[in-house]
Amino acid sequence: MEAFVSQNLELLQEERAAEIEETREWQENVSVKKLQQRGVCLQKLQVASHRIGLYGRVLVCFEPRKYEASATLPSNNFGPGDIVGLYDNRDSTPLDQLASGVVTHITQKSLTIAFDESSDQLNFDNDSSYKLFKLANDVTYKRLKNALKALSQYHAGSASNLIDVLFGSSEPSSPSESQIDQELYNPHLDDSQKEAVSFALSQKEVAIIHGPPGTGKTTTVVEIILQAVKQGLKVLCCAPSNVAVDNLVERLARIKAQVLRLGHPARLLESIHRHSLDAVLAHSDNAQIVIDIRKDIDQAFAKMKKVQDRGQKVHFRGEIKILRKELRAREEAATLQILKKASVVLATNTGASDDGPLKLLPDDYFDLVVIDECAQALEASCWIPLMKAPRCILAGDHKQLPPTIISHKAAANGLSLSLMERLIQRYGEQIVRMLTVQYRMHNAIMQWASIQMYGGRLVAHELVTAHLLKDLPGVVSTEETMIPLLLIDTSGCGLLEIDEEDEQSKGNEGEVQMVAMHIQALTEAGVHPKDVAVIAPYNLQVQLLRRELSGKYAELEIKSVDGFQGREKEAVVLSLVRSNRRGKKKEVLAIGEEEDIDALIAASIKADSVCGFLKCNGSILTLGQHCIHCNKRYCFSHHIPEVHGCSGHAKAHARKLISREGILYAGSGTKDKTLDPVKKAHLQKKLEKKIDQLASQRSAKKESKK
């Protein structure tokens, strides 16, 4: 444990430094226009309206300036829960920030921000022009570091035995006899789900529910929580994202469970606001008293501003101090009462920290911690809730995307290894139960993933195993709706990726047009746009797709692969953007037999022996030219950068040579006539010396006249 804490503190510092550096580079080196293209900035906005809402917070709605050609927001990566900085449209340095807030709602035409500042502090001008930047959240890193430090200092608490098991210093205890009530809340659970529920409730320290896509992981987790509550356990339920937590709140609330959602209301789905701490506090018995105390504080502030006498100011300050103390005591008492009434308290991993409402509860209050989507969470974030109970249940799928890490160095050194994956590597099936029946995909879509990643254990439920788009109400039979899986090979079609020098992401405009054609075919066959998702692995491609499709299909969901994770649609269109690193058609091989490996090696050797240009199969074994920009070899017909697609890199390289060496090459433009810096400095000194001489001569003449 000590080694884990030490290593993760260093890795978190590395990750934080990478995030700060990325933000700094964007603000200092990248134009606002480019930032807007990348989706992290919105400029030329005006205030459409503002009002008080979300339990006292100021809600401000921004929209594009009316004189702009389009009244819609440009394609962007803003979403509910994002922290944003507000700036005057002319300024963008951190010191110029007017306020920071949280995105509550976004449409194609407007974006609403919740600000904690009072309306007097904000003072918006409806005629002014503003811009918004997405900001890094420093609070998260502070909470992660504090959790790791608390873990290193943890002694003799309710979670001591759990910590020993999770770090391998002791083995998991033998499971108790199954205490599951025969009467399930959900009678439709399949056998693997029932076994997982029973197993999880019988484990004394840790149980892992491995849920591949579409196997009903959330359904199983909800049943586990409800059964635990029936046994009288106090449950703390967490997940790394607000969306995952809200999903659990919705599902639990349907069964009339006493749930309480912690977190900023702006980050919560509107449908679950009534279960949030702010909403419950607003309707509690102490609500009116708290409102009255806040009014008294405001009145005392107003009186203090008006008086000039120092003694009176001291009097009002003392009165405000007493009122604030009473307000804090009233709010904490009401919050504690609400927390104790709840059977299940839900929050994000970092939202369960000790600097929030949970600090009011005793250290040993909770009996069970449940962490959903655990495989997508940093392990450090899991330790925030884990130290609050003696038992835990982790749910997720470590075969999907790992936690998102900016620093490649931090990821390579272990920060991307989740707690769930680490425990499975150590204990294996001893603490794991896998869900095996999937309810989402046609068998043809599921089969490859089942064999490659899940040991062939997945089985498609009879309702979906042969389900096609044409079976949906109102959808007619066409070529596009009669097949479950369509793969389009674009090699040799000239659909090259966008290769812009200052773009970190990738795009492919040819694929955008192909996607548009396919979406049109699906909608014309009767598939509703809201039932379709378009996903891509690169943010630039997502932007290009949105630019092309969002105007025509308002309900079509277009997201990155990680942004869509955990969601469901009737049809998913995946734009892969790039081919393999050679740019050639991929050989599909089933790795596993010796002759297949030999075939793979032979295919690689063959690919390295021909010209790297897409449409050329000329041999380069004897004669070939290496391109320093793309690191490929070409025949003499295609070795020129402008021919095989490296013209942008070649121009940039030439400009650097000219700048560094001062040599003008043919076709590189007009000669730079600016002076050499050394010569310029020398001439400057000579000029200053001459000016001093002339000045002294003028002084001598004045003296002689006197």
Side-chain angles (χ1 to χ4, degrees), residues 4 18 34 64 79 81 126 150 157 179 206 211 255 316 321 366 376 408 466 468 479-480 484 504 541 548 651 661 697:
F4 168 83
K34 280 290 183 186
N126 287 20
Q179 301 176 1
V206 57
I255 318 294
F316 282 122
K321 186 177 180 180
F366 290 104
Q376 275 70 60
H408 297 297
L468 299 171
E479 185 180 359
E480 289 79 15
Q504 297 177 349
Q541 185 72 351
E548 177 70 24
K651 289 176 184 176
E661 301 174 7
Q697 288 176 6

Side-chain angles (χ1 to χ4, degrees), residues 410-696:
N413 288 331
L415 194 62
S416 62
L417 180 66
S418 68
L419 171 64
M420 181 174 168
E421 187 170 6
R422 181 171 69 78
L423 292 176
I424 290 175
Q425 289 175 359
R426 182 175 189 88
Y427 294 114
E429 294 297 315
Q430 182 183 355
I431 60 169
V432 181
R433 287 296 180 271
M434 178 176 158
L435 308 178
T436 56
V437 182
Q438 71 86 16
Y439 301 83
R440 184 182 298 170
M441 292 168 278
H442 188 286
N443 188 64
I445 303 173
M446 176 204 74
Q447 201 61 43
W448 180 86
S450 176
I451 294 170
Q452 294 294 323
M453 294 187 288
Y454 303 107
R457 295 171 63 186
L458 292 185
V459 178
H461 191 269
E462 59 183 13
L463 292 176
V464 299
T465 188
H467 185 59
L468 299 171
L469 285 174
K470 70 178 182 61
D471 300 325
L472 295 173
V475 178
V476 298
S477 294
T478 65
E479 185 180 359
E480 289 79 15
T481 62
M482 292 176 64
I483 55 173
L485 180 63
L486 173 65
L487 302 175
I488 301 176
D489 184 357
T490 63
S491 60
C493 298
L495 303 186
L496 302 177
E497 65 189 75
I498 295 173
D499 193 12
E500 294 186 21
E501 190 179 343
D502 56 353
E503 281 291 355
Q504 297 177 349
S505 192
K506 303 290 182 184
N508 190 313
E509 292 177 326
E511 279 193 19
V512 171
Q513 297 306 314
M514 291 190 67
V515 170
M517 291 167 63
H518 194 69
I519 296 298
Q520 182 178 346
L522 290 176
T523 54
E524 288 177 352
V527 181
H528 200 284
K530 68 179 176 60
D531 293 327
V532 183
V534 179
I535 61 178
Y538 298 99
N539 284 331
L540 177 58
Q541 185 72 351
V542 172
Q543 303 306 313
L544 295 174
L545 288 164
R546 286 176 177 172
R547 191 182 306 164
E548 177 70 24
L549 299 169
S550 293
K552 188 175 181 181
Y553 308 102
E555 294 182 279
L556 181 68
E557 193 165 347
I558 306 171
K559 288 189 174 180
S560 62
V561 173
D562 54 347
F564 188 74
Q565 191 170 15
R567 305 294 309 283
E568 292 185 22
K569 293 288 182 178
E570 295 291 352
V572 176
V573 181
L574 172 60
S575 175
L576 289 171
V577 179
R578 311 178 77 185
S579 184
N580 60 337
R581 64 190 181 91
R582 286 288 304 166
K584 297 289 182 184
K585 181 177 177 180
K586 297 177 185 175
E587 300 288 340
V588 181
L589 296 173
I591 303 300
E593 297 181 12
E594 189 175 344
E595 56 266 28
D596 291 327
I597 297 173
D598 292 339
L600 178 61
I601 295 170
S604 299
I605 294 172
K606 180 182 176 182
D608 285 328
S609 67
V610 297
C611 175
F613 192 64
L614 278 175
K615 300 178 182 179
C616 180
N617 290 317
S619 174
I620 55 171
L621 285 175
T622 307
L623 294 174
Q625 291 287 324
H626 176 258
C627 176
I628 62 171
H629 309 297
C630 64
N631 205 30
K632 296 179 184 177
R633 287 173 61 82
Y634 297 92
C635 66
F636 283 155
S637 299
H638 300 114
H639 76 280
I640 300 173
E642 285 75 10
V643 173
H644 67 245
C646 285
S647 59
H649 291 298
K651 289 176 184 176
H653 182 68
R655 284 195 294 270
K656 287 179 182 177
L657 282 176
I658 294 166
S659 175
R660 184 171 65 247
E661 301 174 7
I663 301 172
L664 193 64
Y665 297 93
S668 57
T670 57
K671 185 177 181 179
D672 184 4
K673 296 182 179 179
T674 57
L675 286 174
D676 178 83
V678 177
K679 291 183 178 179
K680 187 175 180 180
H682 179 68
L683 288 172
Q684 184 69 33
K685 286 183 179 179
K686 288 183 68 176
L687 179 61
E688 289 173 355
K689 186 176 180 181
K690 187 68 175 177
I691 290 171
D692 290 341
Q693 288 177 351
L694 293 172
S696 62

Side-chain angles (χ1 to χ4, degrees), residues 84-87 92-101 135:
V84 297
L86 178 70
Y87 299 83
S92 60
T93 65
L95 294 175
D96 298 320
Q97 184 175 297
L98 302 175
S100 65
L135 300 180

Side-chain angles (χ1 to χ4, degrees), residues 84-295:
V84 297
L86 178 70
Y87 299 83
D88 185 279
N89 207 63
R90 295 165 295 181
D91 307 311
S92 60
T93 65
L95 294 175
D96 298 320
Q97 184 175 297
L98 302 175
S100 65
V102 179
V103 178
T104 64
H105 186 65
I106 184 167
T107 67
Q108 289 188 338
K109 295 187 176 181
S110 66
L111 176 132
T112 303
I113 311 292
F115 295 97
D116 285 331
E117 290 91 346
S118 68
S119 53
D120 293 337
Q121 289 174 286
L122 292 170
N123 231 353
F124 286 110
D125 182 358
N126 287 20
D127 295 326
S128 295
S129 182
Y130 300 96
K131 63 176 166 237
L132 293 166
F133 281 103
K134 284 183 75 172
L135 300 180
N137 188 356
D138 192 47
V139 174
T140 297
Y141 284 89
K142 288 179 180 177
R143 288 176 175 175
L144 294 176
K145 290 169 73 173
N146 289 339
L148 290 173
K149 290 175 182 176
L151 176 62
S152 66
Q153 298 165 3
Y154 195 95
H155 298 293
S158 62
S160 295
N161 199 35
L162 174 63
I163 293 172
D164 290 341
V165 171
L166 297 189
F167 282 108
S169 57
S170 65
E171 288 291 309
S173 304
S174 299
S176 59
E177 288 188 16
S178 179
Q179 301 176 1
I180 184 172
D181 194 314
Q182 293 301 314
E183 186 179 343
L184 296 171
Y185 285 88
N186 185 347
H188 303 295
L189 296 184
D190 61 53
D191 290 341
S192 69
Q193 291 170 334
K194 290 176 184 176
E195 184 187 359
V197 173
S198 178
F199 174 77
L201 293 172
S202 67
Q203 293 299 106
K204 293 180 180 177
E205 290 94 14
V206 57
I208 292 178
I209 308 301
H210 180 196
T215 54
K217 173 181 60 63
T218 303
T219 299
T220 307
V221 169
V222 167
E223 184 68 38
I224 291 170
I225 294 170
L226 293 172
Q227 291 292 336
V229 170
K230 187 186 286 189
Q231 294 175 10
L233 304 181
K234 290 289 186 180
V235 182
L236 173 61
C237 187
C238 299
S241 70
N242 283 292
V243 172
V245 178
D246 289 346
N247 187 28
L248 286 167
V249 174
E250 283 187 323
R251 302 281 289 272
L252 289 165
R254 289 177 201 162
I255 318 294
K256 309 298 182 185
Q258 288 288 325
V259 297
L260 181 67
R261 171 69 157 99
L262 306 183
H264 195 299
R267 294 192 176 97
L268 316 186
L269 291 176
E270 196 169 339
S271 59
I272 60 105
H273 271 185
R274 59 197 172 94
H275 301 293
S276 70
L277 178 60
D278 288 71
V280 180
L281 276 172
H283 295 91
S284 68
D285 296 335
N286 289 314
Q288 190 56 51
I289 298 173
V290 168
I291 291 171
D292 291 340
I293 295 173
R294 282 178 175 163
K295 284 182 180 177

